Amino acid sequence: MSLLPHQLELLSPAKTADIGREAILHGADAVYIGGPGFGARHNAGNSVSEIAALVEFAHRYHARIFVTLNTILHDAELEPARQLIHQFYDAGVDALIVQDMGILELDIPPIQLHASTQCDIRSADKARFLADAGLSQLVLARELSLPDIRKVAERVGGAATIEYFIHGALCVAFSGQCYISHAETGRSANRGDCSQACRLPYTLADEQGRVVAYDKHLLSMKDNNQSDNLEALIDAGVRSFKIEGRYKDMDYVKNITAHYRLLLDEILTRRPELARASSGVCHIGFTPDPDKTFHRGSTDYFATGRKDDIGAFDSPKYVGLALGQVSRVGKDSFELVSREALANGDGLNFMKKREVIGLQANTVQWLGEDDEGGRWQVTPNDPAVLASLKPGVAISRNRDHSWEQALSKKSAERRVGLNLVLADCTDGLVLTLTDEDGLSVSREIALTLEAARDGDKALASLREHLGKLGNTLFVARDIQLQLRQPWFIPASVLNGLRRDAVAALEALRVSSWPRPPRKTPIEPPALYPDSSLSYLANVYNHLARQFYTRHGVSLIDAAYEAHEEPGEVSLMITKHCLRFSFNLCPKQAKGVQGVMGQVRADPMVLKNGNETYTLKFECRPCEMHVMGKMKKTVFQSPPPVAEMAPLVFHPRRS
């Protein structure tokens, strides 16, 4: 396992190293970040040197840094990937998040490996296999329910840590099982370049063309929010709580990390048998609110069972929080009734038919209050938007300027508890620092001691100067003075002694951090749960094929990106079911009678512009398949491979 059984880890995303630092200050026990290549977020890369600096910062708090190397790899990319892994190891990275099993066949350092969400871990048997094959941490499919998670955790036992997404955007397809982007554009989601076809509008019809839903975002899900289920997830066996968002900005990461830090800390206060996975206490300088940052509405998805309101069908955009209603529209402004305060620069929006219309408040003016609430005069940047407004229109706010201003400044600090003991010795003074993790350093200074004229004042001054830990990562929990008598000690001497001791302890915290070793696979090699693999296994190189062969698989098809599937196949496999969403599931009804007559619920058709997909429904596993073919131009093009920039090597850390 990558964690002890009683430890809970809050795992936050970072698009950049700066965001990673703020995630740690706002409560993350671990951060996952992309490197310069092979990460499943194409435009969220960071240099090895940037990651190395983040690692050193994180290890001061005994927080961990995971790097995503979770695309499927072409044969030509295996050696560059191997070289990059060595650089990550030398930079002090704690673990790699991987999808491609070929990585387990490479000659790489003993760095810990975690299973990416693209590994599509839905079954207890597959989870146990990956644990036995050498993976230390497993992120389960977002579609699993609490009972499903418990079954997986029980099957895995202590062989691996169970990780689960608790917040953020939801891909409609099982992760790693979406090929629609590659089929249409040649951009592969499994290689970090998804075109997000799921956020487009579609029309749903039956085979005979009778429309069920017109021009709706039928494959766009609301955002995941497991705030109410954290304790149930703990009891089901989850130990790493993952926030989605390697494309998200600083405000999102600060806000959502702080939100879950406070929720987990409340649970830890009530349950002393559990502990957080890193050190320090976070002091949050604002009130976290998940509704203040980007989301498409909230759902706990399938954690507590299937629901009919998981889709964001009207719009994939962020409309924010309801603010109020328009009461009057003027020539260059409108009046708004709201019980919330507004600010210049707020981002507002409203619905016009099925479209979200946005506007920015150039200026706002308080007009007074009546029985309905506060009245505000809002002057938009673009007066043309006023033509779409009329009294009674509901206004939402998706950019709270005052909120963003607060988060743009220092909004949290994290301090590690410290005990300080100052004692006199034969040659002068010795200061011993012991942190909350039991790490200790001592520093001495040769000094001729002189008795203080005012003993009480001298002792108070010593405590004051020893406790000045302002810009360090420490906070004094206890200060003891073990002196034969009160001494006069110049402030400059004491401050210098304290600074030297603090610097030594900070260095010790980094150097003594026990990087977890790579897990040894069991011998003889565990058998994969199936003896054959289709394109859905995403085998894209000879080492991945070698891995599965070594684990008992006899028939292995190539990945979809290898361009060996010219016919109609499942381009998406989803737990989301449009029959269920529109009350056409056989378990709900046999059909709906409407103005267009009886709608046949199987198969159905999705249309977007010139693209048409057939929907097939598998009732036993309760899944929907979006069927289609790869475009001829894509199929006839070479299988994708990265154009590798020269790797820059860095010296090994001592």
Side-chain angles (χ1 to χ4, degrees), residues 3 26 123 180 249 274 309 371 410 451 550 617:
L3 295 171
H26 286 74
S123 74
I180 194 167
D249 60 19
L274 300 170
D309 62 346
D371 293 340
K410 181 179 178 180
R550 191 163 56 81
F617 303 92

Side-chain angles (χ1 to χ4, degrees), residues 590-649:
K590 294 182 179 179
V592 289
Q593 189 73 30
V595 295
M596 302 196 69
Q598 185 77 13
V599 173
R600 292 181 58 83
D602 189 14
M604 302 186 82
V605 174
L606 270 184
K607 293 185 177 181
N608 170 260
N610 295 324
E611 309 300 336
T612 300
Y613 306 98
T614 301
L615 300 182
K616 292 187 177 179
F617 303 92
E618 299 288 343
C619 289
R620 186 178 295 274
C622 211
E623 296 172 356
M624 181 177 76
H625 292 241
V626 180
M627 310 294 294
K629 293 182 180 181
M630 192 182 301
K631 282 187 174 179
K632 184 179 291 187
T633 53
V634 176
F635 185 76
Q636 292 175 346
S637 65
V641 58
E643 295 182 8
M644 296 304 301
L647 290 173
V648 178
F649 287 86

Side-chain angles (χ1 to χ4, degrees), residues 148-165:
D148 294 332
I149 295 167
R150 185 183 298 276
K151 289 177 184 176
V152 172
E154 290 173 350
R155 180 78 173 88
V156 171
T161 294
I162 300 300
E163 178 184 312
Y164 188 74
F165 277 99

